[in-house]
Amino acid sequence: MNDCLFCKIIAGEIPSTKIYEDDSVFVFADIEPTAPVHWLAVPKTHIAKLSDVNESNSAVISHIYEVISKLAAEHEEFADGFRVVSNCGKTAGQSVFHIHFHILAGREFAWPAG
Ligand code: AMP
Ligand code: ZN
């Protein structure tokens, strides 16, 4: 996806603060953090949104959750809890159409969602 912001970040064409990378997953700091820890976990393959996940591409989504669990175990800010959010589509507030998982930690989070 040549015009995708997050594909460009993964390719290093747009700078980011990298937190973690492996063969299939990239994690970087959100440019407008809403919590002491606010990272974005993305698959390196372009999937536009959560409703495009299916049996042919879901392995990387499973792997993203393994990565999140590993990162949570490694960082003190996650010790008391954390939140993972994937906004899907316009009414949920998705603004970048490369599936991403907000990883939020370091403060208390309200529920229900706004
Ligand atoms: P969403 O609104 O759920 O699609 O989330 C998109 C997120 O991408 C927002 O939290 C933005 O702050 C973040 N974002 C946008 N551009 C960049 C960028 N260049 N580097 C890091 N995060 C970004
Ligand atoms: Zn993309």
Side-chain angles (χ1 to χ4, degrees):
M1 272 270 165
N2 290 339
D3 59 351
C4 171
L5 173 64
F6 287 174
C7 281
K8 288 178 180 168
I9 286 176
I10 293 160
E13 294 166 13
I14 291 175
S16 70
T17 301
K18 183 171 80 176
I19 305 297
Y20 172 90
E21 180 177 18
D22 64 25
D23 288 347
S24 60
V25 173
F26 195 82
V27 182
F28 58 103
D30 196 292
I31 204 167
E32 289 184 42
T34 61
V37 173
H38 187 171
W39 300 336
L40 300 172
V42 298
K44 288 187 171 178
T45 51
H46 183 90
I47 301 169
K49 58 190 186 301
L50 191 54
S51 55
D52 292 331
V53 174
N54 56 50
E55 64 184 12
S56 75
N57 61 16
S58 62
V60 70
I61 305 302
S62 172
H63 182 53
I64 281 175
Y65 276 89
E66 292 174 13
V67 168
I68 292 170
S69 178
K70 175 178 148 62
L71 290 173
E74 291 172 352
H75 293 269
E76 172 72 18
E77 300 94 322
F78 293 71
D80 291 334
F82 61 95
R83 181 168 289 178
V84 177
V85 174
S86 186
N87 297 317
C88 178
K90 194 174 66 173
T91 61
Q94 185 174 8
S95 61
V96 179
F97 282 78
H98 179 130
I99 191 171
H100 48 281
F101 296 84
H102 296 261
I103 303 168
L104 300 151
R107 66 168 171 84
E108 294 206 4
F109 298 100
W111 192 259

